[in-house]
Amino acid sequence: MQRLDLQGLVRPWKEAIEAPPARDRVWLHGDLHPRNVLVQDGALAGLIAWGDVTAGDVATDLACAWMLFAYARARTLFLEAYAPSEQVQARAAGWAVHFASGLIDSGESRHVQIGLSAMRRLAGAEE
């Protein structure tokens, strides 16, 4: 198993838990990671696994930025297009830490890789 420097996760986690909670509830996919996103010719073609669909904080699904985009520039463009507030973006990073932890803990090799990659991105250690 790869070792992870968790020190880089302190800032995003602290900012996430200090951000005010969401006031609005929106429909969420609830499990938006690379294995549930279909891409064709470099463009989004569909989403699968709607078993976790729910209503809640939009930051939950925005956590996908750290799981779907391997490059900081792509994440920046994605978040700029959505234009979340600083608080929403902070909560999204916190959700990404949470989801990445669960993916790593699953023990399923593809999920573990997604989780480890997301953790490195969140910690500022690009691949």
Side-chain angles (χ1 to χ4, degrees), residues 3 7-8 18 23 38 50 59 76 90 98 102:
R3 293 193 63 101
Q7 190 59 39
E18 290 176 352
R23 290 192 291 200
L38 303 174
W50 283 87
T76 298
H98 171 74

Side-chain angles (χ1 to χ4, degrees), residues 37-121:
V37 175
L38 303 174
V39 176
Q40 183 175 15
D41 299 324
L44 178 65
L47 301 173
I48 57 173
W50 283 87
D52 292 330
V53 71
T54 188
D57 183 1
V58 68
T60 307
D61 278 353
L62 289 179
C64 73
W66 290 271
M67 290 181 277
L68 295 177
F69 302 108
Y71 300 104
R73 179 72 179 138
R75 278 190 304 285
T76 298
L77 291 172
F78 171 78
L79 292 168
E80 283 176 356
Y82 192 86
S85 69
E86 286 182 26
Q87 293 87 7
V88 170
Q89 190 165 328
R91 289 195 312 271
W95 277 109
V97 170
H98 171 74
F99 290 137
S101 297
L103 289 166
I104 292 168
D105 191 51
S106 76
E108 200 283 330
S109 63
R110 292 173 290 184
H111 286 165
V112 170
Q113 270 316 115
I114 293 166
L116 289 171
S117 294
M119 288 291 201
R120 282 191 291 275
R121 294 171 191 145

